[in-house]
Amino acid sequence: MPAPPIANPYAGRFIPLPKPREKCIITGLCRASIYNFAARGELRLVKFGRSIRLDAEHAFNWMNSRPTHVVMRANIAPQADTSPNASRAA
C-alpha cells in the first residue's frame, strides 16, 4: 500500500534564496544549485521587485517527486577486534 501523500506546509509561499554558504530549508541545496535547477526548468523562481524567491510549493512537490536511493554498504568482512581487552579470556 503506498504511503499517504504528505501535506504541503509551504502551499502558496515564496521563500528567499539561501545566502552564500547556506542551504535551502526545503531542498537542502545551495544558491548556485537552485539557480542551475531553475535554468533547467526543474525549480521555479519568482521575482518580486529586486528580490528573487523560490516557489516553495513547487520546490516541495519537486522534492517529493525525486527518486529515492538506497545506499548499501559493500560486503566487507568484519575486522578482528584489536583492542587491548580483546585478547583477555574471561
Side-chain angles (χ1 to χ4, degrees):
M1 181 174 187
I6 300 171
N8 187 343
Y10 301 103
R13 293 182 54 197
F14 300 94
I15 60 170
L17 295 179
K19 295 178 181 174
R21 297 191 177 115
E22 289 182 358
K23 303 286 181 190
C24 176
I25 59 172
I26 297 175
T27 62
L29 298 171
C30 69
R31 183 182 192 99
S33 294
I34 291 173
Y35 278 122
N36 288 334
F37 280 113
R40 289 190 285 202
E42 295 186 42
L43 287 175
R44 186 179 304 145
L45 299 178
V46 180
K47 189 165 185 174
F48 293 107
R50 294 180 3 186
S51 176
I52 297 176
R53 304 284 174 124
L54 176 64
D55 182 343
E57 182 175 5
H58 186 263
F60 184 83
N61 293 333
W62 177 76
M63 285 297 296
N64 285 330
S65 70
R66 305 288 292 173
T68 58
H69 297 284
V70 177
V71 178
M72 301 194 58
R73 190 174 176 173
N75 291 334
I76 300 174
Q79 296 178 344
D81 191 1
T82 58
S83 65
N85 296 334
S87 59
R88 294 184 192 170

